Amino acid sequence: MENHTKDSTMNVSSLNCIDLSNDDLHNSVISLKQACLDCGFFYVINHGINEEFMDDVFEQSKKFFDLPLEEKMKVLRNEKHRGYTPVLDELLDPVNQVNGDHKEGYYIGIEVPKDDPHWDKPFYGPNPWPDADVLPGWRETMEKYHQEALRISKDIARLLALALDLDVDYFDRTEMLGKPIATMRLLRYQGVSDPSNGIYACGAHSDFGMMTLLATDSVTGLQICKDKKATPQKWEYVPPIKGAFIVNLGDMLERWSNGFFKSTLHRVLGNGQERYSIPFFLEPNHDCLVECLPTCKSESNLPKYPPIKCSTYLTQRYNETHAELSIYHQQT
Ligand code: OGA
Ligand code: NI
């Protein structure tokens, strides 16, 4: 009852909704640009993935997390950031959180086989997969979803290019999204968050990369803070919409666009219900140099950030937020 009372007075954000099947490109770009300047969050609909397939992906995700912990530990996250991440593995907001996030995860990236000349780069490589006898069809479902999410993310990147006054295929170039570091992450949240005691399902953060395509189930939990400098901070719930993705811009795009587009602080509060989500993080090629876009600088608006290689930036951010892998090896 108490929760219900709180819910009825809670702040809910209303975000722009981009229809990817809309033929009026001009209209879509205007709406997208407004969202990117305002808060860096928007919904995407009519993206071409059907709901039955989405339900299947979530069902398979649940099957993995329902396995006994020792089975999940067999595919523990490796040094390439692929595989299972146990509860508390990630700490996103050390100032306000007492422990790590109350969530479990499973990272899946682009499969780069060991005979590929680039396989040994930090975020490339083969994925670990749960035993096919334990979870038949699991790998196939996840690989198909990864492909679809990449296709949609690239469609959105075209709209972003137009919103930034760049050529529509600017980010499609080989050295940009030709061989991207595109990583999806299955997530399961459990428990009740207690912000006044530093307990969060997912601590406040902005995403590291270019953009994130987020699929969620119907359980509310995601919140955004449009103005990180306001005191006290004002948090608004982003309600899930069946069939829509929630898309948000990451720090790499904020940097790339010289601060023109915003990456917004967000977090997740657990309400006691199990909650599943699947963020898909799009970042450019490993070697892509993220330096101020040509349309985002002028004589009176010089680049604010030095150029940085995509993988260098990401490695730094992952190392700051994830536990040392050695802690798990000491335990076993
Ligand atoms: C993330 C994230 C939100 C959610 O993983 O970066 O913000 O709803 N997830 O799971
Ligand atoms: Ni996030």
Side-chain angles (χ1 to χ4, degrees), residues 7-249:
D7 282 356
S8 58
T9 57
M10 72 190 181
N11 291 316
V12 174
S13 193
S14 73
L15 303 178
N16 285 4
C17 187
I18 312 298
D19 179 347
L20 288 186
S21 71
N22 186 354
D23 291 332
D24 186 351
L25 206 59
H26 181 68
N27 212 356
S28 298
V29 172
I30 289 179
S31 174
L32 177 95
K33 186 169 176 176
Q34 193 201 26
C36 294
L37 294 172
D38 175 35
C39 64
F41 265 81
F42 50 93
Y43 294 106
V44 159
I45 55 164
N46 291 327
H47 38 67
I49 299 192
N50 72 47
E51 281 185 27
E52 290 78 57
F53 178 61
M54 252 2 266
D55 291 344
D56 192 26
V57 177
F58 275 93
E59 239 166 69
Q60 293 283 16
S61 172
K62 178 168 169 45
K63 278 191 188 151
F64 173 78
F65 290 117
D66 282 346
L67 293 174
L69 183 61
E70 64 199 64
E71 192 65 37
K72 294 186 274 193
M73 288 305 268
K74 289 184 189 164
V75 281
L76 179 68
R77 164 171 72 86
N78 60 25
E79 66 291 343
K80 303 268 192 183
H81 298 286
R82 306 288 178 88
Y84 175 61
T85 57
V87 177
L88 306 187
D89 184 69
E90 193 175 12
L91 176 61
L92 285 161
D93 181 13
V95 174
N96 294 305
Q97 281 178 285
V98 286
N99 284 313
D101 289 353
H102 289 258
K103 70 181 190 217
E104 297 171 88
Y106 195 98
Y107 282 113
I108 302 169
I110 288 186
E111 187 82 19
V112 182
K114 281 202 174 169
D115 54 7
D116 186 291
H118 299 290
W119 87 273
D120 61 338
K121 291 185 169 169
F123 292 92
Y124 291 161
N127 288 298
W129 295 104
D131 194 333
D133 292 334
V134 178
L135 294 177
W138 199 87
R139 171 177 178 170
E140 290 71 18
T141 304
M142 295 309 163
E143 285 188 321
K144 183 170 171 212
Y145 179 69
H146 191 287
Q147 255 178 19
E148 289 287 297
L150 182 56
R151 172 185 60 75
I152 298 168
S153 304
K154 285 184 170 180
D155 284 349
I156 300 167
R158 280 188 204 101
L159 295 178
L160 283 172
L162 292 174
L164 287 161
D165 290 327
L166 298 162
D167 290 340
V168 65
D169 55 359
Y170 186 88
F171 294 117
D172 287 331
R173 300 171 189 196
T174 324
E175 70 275 21
M176 297 200 171
L177 294 177
K179 212 171 193 320
I181 303 176
T183 306
M184 66 188 252
R185 192 174 187 195
L186 309 173
L187 293 173
R188 172 168 80 175
Y189 298 94
Q190 287 175 313
V192 184
S193 298
D194 181 2
S196 52
N197 284 308
I199 297 174
Y200 293 89
C202 169
H205 67 284
S206 46
D207 291 353
F208 316 151
M210 182 176 176
M211 75 165 112
T212 308
L213 186 72
L214 178 73
T216 74
D217 65 11
S218 57
V219 178
T220 306
L222 176 66
Q223 294 186 318
I224 62 173
C225 169
K226 288 186 181 169
D227 180 4
K228 44 190 155 200
K229 294 195 192 99
T231 42
Q233 285 178 330
K234 186 175 159 229
W235 290 92
E236 298 173 0
Y237 277 98
V238 175
I241 297 181
K242 184 83 181 149
F245 286 104
I246 298 164
V247 180
N248 64 293
L249 309 182

